[in-house]
Amino acid sequence: MKSCLIVDDSRVIRKVSRHILETLGFTVEEAENGQEGLDKCAETMPDVVLLDWNMPVMTGIEFITQLRQREGGDKPKVVFCTTENDVAHIREAISAGADEYVMKPFDHETLQIKLQLVGMA
């Protein structure tokens, strides 16, 4: 079974994402900020990370930069989930190591398509 870590400071987004991912057959872990997400990755590296951009403690960009520098941190597929939709933000996310990008709010079908694009659904 594939695993996904949802890193988002919004409890609602984590709950909605968890529901979608579980119906797609993922086991799901949650973190409410980037530092907590890195701690969870240190315990067990997930197959996929759904990553928010704007969070307290550590932003999504800071999280992915640190994740990609860790041993095994190149393995998870990272999908940024954010309200930031301009080309500069998308380019920054991809440059930092993101595999895909999805706009909030998203639905089951949209997330499933993004996961298929990164080979995880």
Side-chain angles (χ1 to χ4, degrees), residues 4-121:
C4 183
L5 173 63
I6 303 165
V7 184
D8 199 306
D9 59 323
S10 166
R11 192 175 55 78
V12 172
I13 293 292
R14 291 195 312 268
K15 185 176 181 181
V16 169
S17 300
R18 172 184 282 276
H19 176 73
I20 293 170
L21 288 158
E22 287 177 345
T23 64
L24 294 172
F26 284 85
T27 59
V28 179
E29 286 281 326
E30 297 179 20
E32 62 183 49
N33 64 60
Q35 186 58 58
E36 190 180 320
L38 285 175
D39 294 345
K40 289 190 182 280
C41 288
E43 293 168 23
T44 308
M45 198 62 76
D47 296 310
V48 181
V49 177
L50 281 189
L51 181 60
D52 186 22
W53 189 288
N54 297 306
M55 296 178 288
V57 184
M58 180 185 291
T59 68
I61 291 292
E62 291 167 335
F63 170 89
I64 194 168
T65 301
Q66 291 188 35
L67 175 70
R68 293 305 193 208
Q69 293 170 352
R70 291 180 174 214
E71 186 176 332
D74 58 331
K75 299 280 189 284
K77 298 295 183 183
V78 176
V79 179
F80 257 103
C81 303
T82 183
T83 56
E84 307 288 351
N85 67 346
D86 59 90
V87 174
H89 276 94
I90 296 169
R91 195 174 288 130
E92 184 179 358
I94 300 300
S95 295
D99 296 286
E100 198 47 74
Y101 200 91
V102 65
M103 290 300 302
K104 290 178 183 175
F106 52 84
D107 59 12
H108 185 283
E109 183 181 358
T110 304
L111 187 55
Q112 185 172 9
I113 289 167
K114 295 295 182 175
L115 290 169
Q116 286 171 344
L117 288 171
V118 299
M120 284 290 158

